[in-house]
Amino acid sequence: MLFVIILYKKILTIIEISSKITFKHLYVKILMLFFKKYLFLLFLIPIYAFSLEYSVVFFGIGDKNTLDAIEKVSNLIILQKRPPKTSNALRYRANSDIAEIKKILHSLGYYDAEVKVDLEETEKLIKVNVFITPGTRYTIKEINLYSDCIEKKKLEIANVTLNDLDLRVSDPVVTENIISNQDKLLFLLSSNGYPLSKIEKLETKIDLSEKTAYLDFCVQTGPFSKFGNIKISGLKDIDQSVIFKKIKWNKNQTYDVRKIIETQRALLKTNLFSSVAILNDQTVDKDDQLGINIKLAEALHKYFSPAISYATVDGFGASIAWGNRNFRSRGELLALEAEVAQRIFFGIATYKITDFLKTDQNYVLRLAAQREKIPYVYLAFTYSMINRIDRLISKNLLVSLGFKVEYDEITHSGNNGDFLLLGVPFYLKYSNANNLLNPTKGNTFIYYASPYQNVINEADFFFKQTFTYNIYLPFGKSEIFVLAVRTQLGNMIGSSVFNMPLTKLFLGGSDDDLRGYKYRTVSPLNEKREPIGGKSAIYVSIEPRFKITKTIGLVPFTDLGIVSLKQFPAFEEKWFKSVGIGVRYYSFFGPIRLDVGFPLDRRKNIDPRYKIYVNIGQTF
């Protein structure tokens, strides 16, 4: 390298002297400047050209997880795109891997592992063979929980036993599992009144003759603790009562860290705080109580969000939303929304009181005015007011009950009329699906029902209910393929469809059911071939969801449906069918969906040949 630098400087010197004596023209001077600037590349190119190319092959390891762990620490793999210049440098790199590979094998229980490296030179590249002899995998022979390692005093605390850990006798000795169970042991102790506990010592004794290990967890439990006084800091505009409604424990109750976590999540879920930290004191008082400090940082409470949109159904539109999440300084919500589009105009005012009378119970008052024009179906003006109480029974179960007043004025349809409805809507949702926008496993069940009394004109009574069931079946741990199926059933009890508002009757054809058909037109037709709505319906959607890459997925789908004038549809009635194909782009916030649906029972002069749907999130 030193020779190359000296030679480079000599050439530059010669060029400079020559240019002073012989080079008279401007283009020659320019040429010399170019040589001065770029001549060094002529010497760097050979350096890279003669770098060694090599491949790496690991022998003796059949387990993919173990091999992946080895490759993550191997310099042969990590630095493969920066090969050394000589075979000796490559051999040094390979030998330096031996110690790191042994560390990984020891952490996985292979304490007798041997690693050897051999370089095999070929015409094109050097093949690095790494021979691994893992030996017998050591297993756990005995596990002990001690409160005193010197005197071997067993840990005796209710609800904290060896059975609560994820370690068992005869399990492989895996360092990562042992450390994670050390953390779990502390979590169990802090869930049962010992938040100040510490792991004093963790002993792992290896028996080389038996190929086994003895694990001793020595715990300093600290004093038994109860929840004590609460101190709140960081509040500016929010009343303290908002925080106390979210606290999941009572004073003098046995300390349980799970209550702390639940409270933290509940406070963050209000969207009133940008951060929530809940810390306990490090000493107990004379009553065994531990003080709790809740440190908060308030988020912005007011928001304003204008937007423009386009949809094949709605056309171009614009919307605006304003809200205050801390109305009256009590964490209440006051929100105003408005949208103007080719299909629909609406304005909505919402007032919500959180934790109304009871924790996890909200009171909602909602006023809405809407103009909806669906070509070929109806023009409807709707004005409504609803009072309801939403109750979160458990993590997966939500129940809602309310009282609703609604006025509908329907024209330009096969079923015109004015209706003033009084209703008592009931809503129940159970879901253990793992994701809102992209569920890959679990179930969702939704039941909606409402009796309605029309108090003008015919003054009829009717009852509407719908059942929806979604199931997500993953195949394989990586969830590359998920079978999603949705079934929707609905019926109405009452008199003729002509005595009920068309907006409440069943009309199929949307991105929720029977994709591909003209929007909300799948129903019995009158003599003018106008939809008049149905009293019952069945919709089934089947979606095999394939993930082609990490970000791209394909979803072929099939939709089936019946809309009937009868109170309960008969299976021999006309079934409408559609098929289609969808593409998913899995972004950081959820899948972006594009579906193309083709109606298989296309009605002349009504349905298009296909329809395109674009949205965020899976169809269901």
Side-chain angles (χ1 to χ4, degrees), residues 104-173:
I104 292 296
L105 292 169
H106 290 173
S107 72
L108 295 173
Y110 299 103
Y111 290 96
D112 299 330
E114 294 292 335
V115 181
K116 293 182 180 180
V117 177
D118 178 62
L119 272 60
E120 180 183 342
E121 297 192 23
T122 63
E123 293 182 2
K124 295 183 179 180
L125 53 74
I126 297 178
K127 185 178 178 182
V128 182
N129 298 315
V130 182
F131 298 97
I132 300 173
T133 307
T136 303
R137 195 173 195 181
Y138 285 49
T139 57
I140 298 172
K141 179 69 176 290
E142 187 177 300
I143 309 171
N144 295 299
L145 300 181
Y146 293 123
S147 59
D148 189 327
C149 267
I150 297 174
E151 297 183 5
K152 300 298 181 183
K153 185 179 179 181
K154 293 285 186 179
L155 180 68
E156 296 180 356
I157 294 177
N159 301 322
V160 181
T161 66
L162 285 173
N163 292 331
D164 299 311
L165 298 181
D166 298 323
L167 288 174
R168 298 289 180 269
V169 172
S170 299
D171 283 352
V173 183

Side-chain angles (χ1 to χ4, degrees), residues 201-212:
K201 188 189 296 183
L202 171 58
E203 291 185 347
T204 303
K205 302 174 183 177
I206 303 298
D207 189 324
L208 297 176
S209 60
E210 293 186 355
K211 313 296 184 185
T212 57

Side-chain angles (χ1 to χ4, degrees), residues 62-236:
D63 179 57
K64 185 179 184 302
N65 293 331
T66 303
L67 186 59
D68 288 344
I70 290 172
E71 290 181 345
K72 286 179 181 178
V73 302
S74 169
N75 284 325
L76 288 169
I77 299 296
I78 297 170
L79 303 176
Q80 194 165 7
K81 292 183 179 179
R82 290 186 287 169
K85 309 301 181 294
T86 66
S87 59
N88 284 335
L90 178 59
R91 189 178 300 278
Y92 177 82
R93 179 182 292 185
N95 288 331
S96 68
D97 265 4
I98 293 175
E100 294 301 319
I101 293 173
K102 281 188 174 182
K103 284 182 183 179
I104 292 296
L105 292 169
H106 290 173
S107 72
L108 295 173
Y110 299 103
Y111 290 96
D112 299 330
E114 294 292 335
V115 181
K116 293 182 180 180
V117 177
D118 178 62
L119 272 60
E120 180 183 342
E121 297 192 23
T122 63
E123 293 182 2
K124 295 183 179 180
L125 53 74
I126 297 178
K127 185 178 178 182
V128 182
N129 298 315
V130 182
F131 298 97
I132 300 173
T133 307
T136 303
R137 195 173 195 181
Y138 285 49
T139 57
I140 298 172
K141 179 69 176 290
E142 187 177 300
I143 309 171
N144 295 299
L145 300 181
Y146 293 123
S147 59
D148 189 327
C149 267
I150 297 174
E151 297 183 5
K152 300 298 181 183
K153 185 179 179 181
K154 293 285 186 179
L155 180 68
E156 296 180 356
I157 294 177
N159 301 322
V160 181
T161 66
L162 285 173
N163 292 331
D164 299 311
L165 298 181
D166 298 323
L167 288 174
R168 298 289 180 269
V169 172
S170 299
D171 283 352
V173 183
V174 179
T175 302
E176 184 179 352
N177 292 347
I178 295 171
I179 293 173
S180 65
N181 275 276
Q182 175 179 284
D183 296 335
K184 185 172 183 179
L185 178 56
L186 291 175
F187 181 82
L188 290 168
L189 289 165
S190 61
S191 300
N192 290 275
Y194 294 91
L196 303 178
S197 58
K198 298 177 182 178
I199 301 295
E200 189 175 5
K201 188 189 296 183
L202 171 58
E203 291 185 347
T204 303
K205 302 174 183 177
I206 303 298
D207 189 324
L208 297 176
S209 60
E210 293 186 355
K211 313 296 184 185
T212 57
Y214 296 78
L215 303 180
D216 292 342
F217 293 89
C218 303
V219 183
Q220 185 180 352
T221 61
F224 176 77
S225 307
K226 302 174 185 178
F227 285 113
N229 294 324
I230 297 172
K231 296 178 183 178
I232 300 173
S233 60
L235 291 182
K236 295 179 180 179

